[in-house]
Amino acid sequence: MNFQILPELKNLIPPLTTEEYKQLENNCIKDGIREKLIVAEFIDSETGETINALADGHNRFSISESKDLHFNFETRGFDSIKEVKLWMIDNQKGRRNLTDFVKFELSKVKAEILAEKGKLNSLNNLVQNNKKEATDLSIIDKSVQPKPHNTQKEIAKDLGWSTGKVAMAKVV
């Protein structure tokens, strides 16, 4: 399968330290590349073209290229590159010991995407409410309730922080 290396995705997650990379390289040489690389398939919002891009395994791919090692991959479908980024951020949280600073930097990217989703959610709720017939306007329809969205609460929960700590991190 052909896939692209998009700098936007490759550079999203901080690089391994030299020691971490060397350890990974030694493990791959000794044991082979055990983990599948994940290729994200999504539609480019500007061109409408289907994109296959590496979402997980950039370091393993680099090692496979330099050491001529075999790897397996799995293709996963996503709605957009933003959904790929959300998946990458969530996927990396459990993999390495990231500092609070790096976690917060990644959460800012996630917050931007979630805020956009919240705006779209609000717009969809307005459209749904406006579709009600004039005769129904005096009756509260409990089936069309807005879906609550609070990006700061979602980020705090995601990081295991209080909303206050998230607010302080924004200031710092």
Side-chain angles (χ1 to χ4, degrees):
M1 164 182 231
N2 292 331
F3 57 83
Q4 300 177 41
I5 305 291
L6 299 178
E8 182 176 1
L9 297 179
K10 183 179 181 183
N11 299 329
L12 179 64
I13 306 297
L16 296 174
T17 64
T18 303
E19 296 80 25
E20 289 170 329
Y21 187 88
K22 191 65 179 163
Q23 179 68 50
L24 178 61
E25 184 177 53
N26 289 338
N27 291 344
C28 289
I29 291 168
K30 179 182 169 201
D31 300 324
I33 298 177
R34 297 174 298 179
E35 298 281 325
K36 291 179 184 176
L37 279 60
I38 305 297
V39 175
E41 181 178 275
F42 60 94
I43 305 295
D44 185 298
S45 61
E46 294 175 14
T47 65
E49 171 186 0
T50 299
I51 304 289
N52 289 300
L54 189 59
D56 182 55
H58 290 91
N59 292 308
R60 287 173 279 140
F61 179 70
S62 175
I63 292 167
S64 77
E65 292 285 287
S66 67
K67 303 297 181 188
D68 196 31
L69 298 173
H70 173 75
F71 62 87
N72 292 312
F73 66 90
E74 175 182 331
T75 302
R76 294 189 184 180
F78 293 88
D79 292 334
S80 67
I81 193 166
K82 291 176 183 178
E83 294 296 323
V84 176
K85 289 179 183 181
L86 290 175
W87 179 86
M88 288 175 67
I89 291 167
D90 288 342
N91 186 51
Q92 286 298 315
K93 284 188 308 188
R95 285 216 171 157
R96 290 192 255 148
N97 293 328
L98 301 176
T99 65
D100 278 353
F101 174 76
V102 171
K103 287 178 185 177
F104 183 69
E105 288 299 305
L106 289 173
S107 76
K108 289 192 313 188
V109 173
K110 187 172 183 174
E112 288 176 21
I113 295 169
L114 291 176
E116 282 183 39
K117 287 177 110 176
K119 287 177 188 174
L120 285 173
N121 190 19
S122 294
L123 285 173
N124 286 337
N125 287 333
L126 282 173
V127 168
Q128 285 179 0
N129 287 332
N130 286 336
K131 286 182 179 178
K132 299 299 285 173
E133 292 184 31
T135 57
D136 292 340
L137 290 178
S138 63
I139 301 170
I140 296 175
D141 186 351
K142 296 192 189 284
S143 68
V144 184
Q145 293 295 316
K147 298 172 191 164
H149 178 83
N150 184 318
T151 300
Q152 186 163 317
K153 281 184 182 178
E154 288 188 42
I155 294 302
K157 181 180 175 186
D158 193 48
L159 291 171
W161 294 0
S162 69
T163 54
K165 185 172 179 179
V166 171
M168 286 192 312
K170 284 181 181 178
V171 171
V172 172

